[in-house]
């Protein structure tokens, strides 16, 4: 098998719904990937946010192997230990919530949207069904999650979407307040917008959103599919937020995906107990959600985040990258650097970051571009100092492409 031969077979057999780069990966170890032609790469986009501990981390290999030899799926009509352990880890690191497990960020958001509407109708607020989301936000591709994702290119051709979604500018409290009406039941927001270009809100913005939700009895959903699991330098992105008095901000519902399983498909809707209690048997479900294999791997992700102190490492390594960027020979190409921990956006003066991603790939560095001209860096939190240092000149050189 070569890169070229597998790409040709792929074209004939798969739905071509993804923009692709010309590499076929056959092996990964830590932050290193090898393609079918034997070329090695440094992975600065870690499985689109999934492989937060890198490839084949020994703790995850051990967890999946052990679980695969013990118990697979039994169905959610029974109790299994790995999902309880994982839910307990979320309660210990996030807030006192209850977990519903599924497979993807979009599905977790679907569950959150349903629960927010259920909460309004259960509280006797029938007719309150509207949900406010944010311009440049991203919540997934299922119809409900897509309805909360206002990007016209993503919605085009799929009308009618789910009714009741209102879009307002991010980081603009007056705009949010003005959009709340008697039919509004919830707000869904990313603590840092990922797909929209790594947009970090003002320091008290999320506290302001929390206050508006409290004032109007709205369910506040934080979509932490990108910002969860240590990536931003803390366990969850909402832990970066506080009000003027230093008080933290806790959502009513948090959704997780991507990194939760370290690269195996597991996602979670994590809701405060009083909300979670509304989802009675039969109201929602997912056949393989929280199955022992995925849950055991995700539990090992959380064990490892703690054991290796990885959120703190994300903060340190993110700073190392931003320091290095300042001394690049191509620093003039950079308009702004945004983000937190190992979730960084480099906005370019050039209108398109695509050529940089392609030049980096050719040089053996995997990057991503979003929002047209923003390079998005999201390496594994376990990236070694050596790989990180080796990546810096490759990144600098790739910037020459614009
Ligand atoms: N929410 C956010 C913030 C995301 O960035 C994404 C995907 O990129 C999703 C939800 C959807 O996750 P998934 O692709 O697992 O459905």
């Amino acid at each position: 098998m070569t890169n070229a031969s597998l790409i040709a077979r792929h074209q004939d057999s798969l739905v071509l719904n993804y923009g692709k780069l010309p590499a076929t990966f056959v092996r990964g170890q830590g932050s290193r990937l090898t393609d079918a032609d034997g070329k090695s790469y440094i992975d600065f986009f870690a499985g689109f946010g999934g492989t937060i501990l890198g490839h084949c981390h020994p703790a995850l290999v051990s967890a999946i192997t052990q679980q695969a030899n013990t118990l697979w799926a039994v169905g959610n009509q029974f109790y299994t230990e790995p999902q309880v352990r994982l839910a307990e880890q979320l309660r210990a690191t996030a807030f006192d919530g209850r977990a519903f497990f599924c497979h993807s960020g979009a599905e977790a958001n679907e569950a959150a949207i349903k629960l927010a509407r259920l909460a309004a109708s259960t509280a006797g607020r029938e007719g309150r069904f509207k949900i406010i989301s944010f311009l440049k936000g991203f919540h997934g591709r299922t119809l409900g999650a897509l309805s909360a994702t206002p990007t016209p290119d993503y919605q085009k051709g799929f009308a009618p979407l789910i009714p009741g979604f209102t879009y307002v500018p991010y980081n603009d409290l007056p705009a949010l307040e003005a959009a709340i009406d008697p039919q509004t039941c919830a707000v869904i927001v990313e603590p840092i917008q990922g797909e929209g270009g790594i947009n970090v809100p003002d320091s008290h913005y999320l506290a302001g959103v929390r206050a508006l939700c409290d004032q109007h009895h709205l369910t506040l959903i934080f979509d932490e599919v990108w910002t969860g699991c240590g990536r931003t330098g803390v366990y969850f992105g909402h832990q970066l937020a506080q009000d003027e008095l230093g008080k933290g901000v806790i959502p009513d519902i948090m959704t997780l995906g991507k990194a939760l399983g370290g690269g195996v498909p597991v996602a979670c809707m994590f809701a405060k107990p009083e909300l979670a209690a509304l989802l009675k048997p039969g109201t929602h479900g997912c056949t393989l959600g929280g199955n022992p294999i995925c849950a055991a791997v995700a539990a090992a992700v959380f064990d490892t985040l703690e054991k290796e102190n990885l959120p703190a490492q994300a903060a340190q390594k993110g700073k190392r990258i931003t320091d290095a960027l300042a001394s690049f020979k191509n620093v003039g190409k950079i308009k702004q650097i945004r983000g937190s921990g190992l979730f960084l956006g480099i906005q370019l003066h050039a209108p398109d970051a695509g050529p940089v991603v392609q030049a980096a790939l050719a040089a053996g560095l995997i990057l991503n571009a979003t929002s047209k001209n923003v390079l998005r860096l999201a390496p594994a939190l376990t990236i070694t100092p050596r790989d990180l240092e080796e990546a810096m000149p490759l990144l600098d050189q790739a910037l020459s492409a614009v």
Side-chain angles (χ1 to χ4, degrees):
M1 183 177 66
T2 61
N3 281 324
S5 68
L6 195 100
I7 290 168
R9 283 167 56 200
H10 178 110
Q11 307 297 97
D12 287 342
S13 320
L14 276 93
V15 175
L16 303 179
N17 57 313
Y18 297 108
K20 293 270 190 195
L21 291 162
T24 295
F25 290 114
V26 294
R27 205 170 304 113
Q29 190 64 52
S31 288
R32 290 275 172 174
L33 282 168
T34 307
D35 76 10
D37 297 340
K39 179 175 162 184
S40 173
Y41 299 77
I42 302 174
D43 187 359
F44 251 49
F45 200 54
F48 225 101
T51 46
I52 195 155
L53 301 190
H55 302 276
C56 303
H57 190 290
L60 304 197
V61 172
S62 163
I64 199 166
T65 310
Q66 208 179 326
Q67 191 60 48
N69 281 310
T70 309
L71 179 71
W72 287 45
V74 293
N76 279 310
Q77 75 275 35
F78 296 110
Y79 301 94
T80 53
E81 191 270 344
Q83 63 174 252
V84 174
R85 196 153 32 100
L86 176 58
E88 287 172 349
Q89 285 167 317
L90 294 175
R91 291 181 68 197
T93 48
F95 53 89
D96 181 26
R98 302 290 183 266
F100 163 78
F101 293 117
C102 48
H103 311 300
S104 68
E107 265 182 284
N109 286 328
E110 291 291 330
I113 289 165
K114 282 179 70 177
L115 180 52
R117 287 191 171 170
L118 183 65
S121 63
T122 309
R125 302 196 189 103
E126 296 291 345
R128 288 181 65 154
F129 65 97
K130 289 188 182 170
I131 298 177
I132 298 176
S133 64
F134 295 85
L135 298 174
K136 298 191 180 172
F138 187 85
H139 302 290
R141 305 287 191 157
T142 54
L143 268 183
L146 183 64
S147 303
T149 299
T151 308
D153 280 353
Y154 297 159
Q155 292 189 345
K156 197 170 155 209
F158 299 116
L161 296 175
I162 308 291
F165 285 84
T166 307
Y167 312 128
V168 301
Y170 189 66
N171 201 24
D172 182 340
L173 285 175
L176 173 60
E177 187 164 24
I180 297 170
D181 71 22
Q183 291 181 311
T184 308
C185 72
V187 171
I188 181 167
V189 63
E190 295 160 85
I192 296 174
Q193 285 188 327
E195 197 73 15
I198 317 284
N199 302 319
V200 182
D202 295 341
S203 45
H204 303 314
Y205 172 69
L206 292 170
V209 175
R210 173 76 274 179
L212 282 172
C213 288
D214 290 343
Q215 196 182 328
H216 296 274
H217 306 289
L218 311 181
T219 298
L220 176 56
I221 304 163
F222 278 177
D223 179 338
E224 296 237 28
V225 169
W226 252 123
T227 55
C229 310
R231 175 155 296 288
T232 66
V234 289
Y235 273 100
F236 303 100
H238 68 265
Q239 293 163 344
L240 296 167
Q242 49 181 235
D243 68 11
E244 285 93 344
L245 303 173
K247 183 167 167 266
V249 178
I250 295 179
D252 300 306
I253 302 175
M254 167 175 81
T255 56
L256 299 170
K258 292 192 189 286
L260 180 61
V264 301
V266 54
C268 178
M269 183 207 62
F270 193 72
K272 284 184 175 166
E274 59 276 20
L275 277 173
L278 302 174
L279 285 175
K280 308 251 185 276
T283 52
H284 196 60
C286 179
T287 300
L288 294 176
N291 69 79
I293 291 187
C294 292
V297 177
V301 168
F302 269 80
D303 283 342
T304 309
L305 288 175
E306 189 186 352
K307 203 186 294 169
E308 298 186 12
N309 199 19
L310 290 173
Q313 282 203 44
Q316 288 152 13
K317 290 171 181 172
K319 179 159 184 330
R320 171 65 198 122
I321 294 174
T322 50
D323 287 350
L325 289 170
S327 62
F328 274 13
K329 71 177 180 341
N330 279 311
V331 67
K333 306 274 171 77
I334 298 174
K335 185 173 177 192
Q336 196 182 35
I337 299 163
R338 303 188 284 263
S340 182
L342 283 175
F343 193 38
L344 295 171
I346 304 171
Q347 182 161 26
L348 306 180
H349 289 291
D352 180 10
V356 179
V357 173
Q358 281 158 23
L361 190 77
L365 175 66
I366 296 166
L367 300 175
N368 173 260
T370 191
S371 211
K372 295 196 174 70
N373 71 344
V374 179
L375 288 172
R376 184 164 46 169
L377 311 187
L381 311 193
T382 49
I383 190 167
T384 61
R386 188 169 161 201
D387 284 343
L388 209 153
E389 295 311 325
E390 243 178 81
M392 289 301 104
L394 300 180
L395 176 55
D396 192 1
Q397 187 55 36
L399 286 168
S400 306
V402 287

